[in-house]
Amino acid sequence: MKLSKVDLSFQSCTSSYDEADVVIYSVPMDATTSFRPGTRFAGNAIRVDSFGVEWYSPYRDADLKDFKTVDTGDLDLPIGAVEDALDIVYEATKTVINDGKKPMVIGGEHLITYPVLKALHEKYNDLHVIHLDAHTDLREEFFGRELSHATFMRQAHKFLGDHKIFQFGIRSGDKHEFEWAKKHIHQQKFDFEGLDKIVEQIKDKPVYITIDLDVLDPAVFPGTGTPEPGGMQYKDLLWAFDQFEKLNHIVGADIVELSPYLDPSGASNAVAAKSLRELILILHKNKNK
C-alpha cells in the first residue's frame, strides 16, 4: 500500500513519507457504531481545527516543526464492508511499521484499533496496550458480531494474551465484562490511579497507546457517540501524557471516537487536536530515547 502526504494536513506535519519518523493516517469508519454515529468525519475535522493549535507544546517543551511527521490523510475505505475496511487498516499499518516508522492513527470508531494491534503484534510479540476509555469494550459479541467497537479489545486479547492490556477510566460495561477483566487484564475503574505504577512496570516493553476520547467527561468532550458522565478532566489526560513520556518503547498510538457534528461549539475538535499534538510529540521524543 502506498502512502503519501496530503494537501490538508495536521498543522506542520508536511514532511514527505520517506523522511518522516511518525505517520498520521485517519480511518473514516463508524460502521458498527451502536448509538450516535459520525466518527468517520473526525480526521479532517481535527486537521481543520489544528490550525488554531500552536506547534509548540509547553507541556512537552517541544515543537512539532522540529520533527519529521507526515499526514497521509483518510484511508480509502469501502462503505459498509467492515472486514474489507479492517483489512485496509491492517495493510496500511503493516506498511508504516515495515518502513521503520511509527503509526499515529485517528479514528473513527474504536474497532479501528483492532487491525492496528494485529499488525503491530506480528512485529512485537510481547506487545502491551494502555487503553484509556469510558467503556470496557470486552464483549464477546455485540448485536451478533464478533468484530465491533464494543468487542475489539476482547478480540485483541486472543492474540495479546493475559495481563498485556491495561485499562484506565472505565465506568461503563456489562457485568460479565468486568468479571472477565478481573482474571485476564488490568482494569482501573473510574480514574487513572496507578497508571504511573503500570508505566514503571512495563516501561521497557513495546507499548501501544489507545485513547477513546470519551474517557473524558462529557462536560469536557461532548462530541462523542456514547458519552458517559463521571469522566476525566483534561488535566487528568495531560497527567497521563506525562506518564507516557516515561515509557522507553512506544510503538504507536491512536485517538478515536470524536464525532465532530455532535458538538456544534467545536470545543471537542479543539480537545482532540490538542491531544493529537501531544501524542505526536510523545512518539517523536520516545524514538530518540
Side-chain angles (χ1 to χ4, degrees):
M1 175 176 290
K2 183 175 176 57
L3 296 167
S4 59
K5 69 178 182 180
V6 290
D7 291 333
L8 177 60
S9 63
F10 184 83
Q11 283 209 7
S12 58
C13 300
T14 56
S15 300
S16 71
Y17 179 83
D18 288 342
E19 67 183 349
D21 296 311
V22 173
V23 179
I24 303 169
Y25 51 102
S26 46
V27 185
M29 175 180 167
D30 52 10
T32 75
T33 299
S34 56
F35 190 30
R36 303 185 299 175
T39 60
R40 70 183 66 184
F41 303 112
N44 285 333
I46 290 173
R47 290 181 178 97
V48 170
D49 214 77
S50 74
F51 293 105
V53 179
E54 295 284 357
W55 296 358
Y56 173 76
S57 166
Y59 305 105
R60 307 299 127 222
D61 187 23
D63 198 310
L64 279 176
K65 61 187 176 183
D66 292 333
F67 300 95
K68 300 294 185 182
T69 314
V70 64
D71 184 348
T72 61
D74 277 351
L75 296 180
D76 189 9
L77 303 184
I79 296 174
V82 175
E83 285 77 11
D84 291 345
L86 296 180
D87 286 344
I88 291 171
V89 181
Y90 168 81
E91 292 297 337
T93 306
K94 289 285 285 186
T95 296
V96 170
I97 61 179
N98 287 342
D99 288 339
K101 305 172 189 301
K102 291 190 177 185
M104 179 63 251
V105 190
I106 307 170
E109 61 168 278
H110 216 158
L111 177 57
I112 66 99
T113 301
Y114 174 77
V116 178
L117 291 176
K118 182 180 176 183
L120 283 163
H121 183 256
E122 290 174 2
K123 182 170 183 178
Y124 307 101
N125 61 13
D126 195 26
L127 184 66
H128 289 59
V129 180
I130 295 177
H131 175 197
L132 309 186
D133 203 326
H135 305 93
T136 53
D137 298 334
L138 293 172
R139 283 172 162 84
E140 293 183 76
E141 60 86 27
F142 196 53
F143 289 108
R145 299 191 64 93
E146 288 188 355
L147 289 174
S148 161
H149 75 116
T151 68
F152 85 93
M153 195 54 83
R154 180 70 171 269
Q155 294 301 317
H157 171 269
K158 292 179 179 179
F159 54 79
L160 291 170
D162 279 351
H163 314 303
K164 300 289 184 67
I165 298 167
F166 302 86
Q167 295 186 330
F168 292 87
I170 306 298
R171 55 192 184 274
S172 180
D174 207 42
K175 182 178 180 179
H176 80 271
E177 295 179 84
F178 287 101
E179 293 300 316
W180 182 89
K182 292 175 184 177
K183 299 178 181 179
H184 299 285
I185 68 171
H186 174 96
Q187 185 181 84
Q188 176 64 31
K189 292 184 287 187
F190 313 130
D191 57 34
F192 293 164
E193 184 176 348
L195 176 59
D196 52 344
K197 295 180 177 62
I198 292 299
V199 165
E200 180 63 24
Q201 176 184 323
I202 65 172
K203 67 179 181 180
D204 294 321
K205 303 289 188 181
V207 177
Y208 184 81
I209 298 165
T210 178
I211 301 176
D212 186 329
L213 289 164
D214 69 22
V215 74
L216 296 167
D217 193 82
V220 178
F221 189 79
T224 190
T226 316
E228 293 288 347
M232 304 296 101
Q233 298 300 305
Y234 196 70
K235 285 187 176 181
D236 298 318
L237 186 58
L238 289 173
W239 178 83
F241 290 154
D242 290 343
Q243 308 317 304
F244 297 158
E245 281 206 85
K246 300 172 186 176
L247 293 164
N248 291 326
H249 192 192
I250 304 174
V251 299
D254 66 50
I255 56 171
V256 301
E257 296 289 356
L258 166 66
S259 190
Y261 296 124
L262 294 177
D263 181 5
S265 76
S268 298
N269 295 357
V271 168
K274 194 163 190 175
S275 301
L276 181 57
R277 180 192 68 186
E278 299 303 299
L279 283 170
I280 295 168
L281 290 170
I282 289 168
L283 289 177
H284 277 296
K285 294 177 74 176
N286 187 263
K287 190 175 181 69
N288 295 328
K289 284 189 174 183

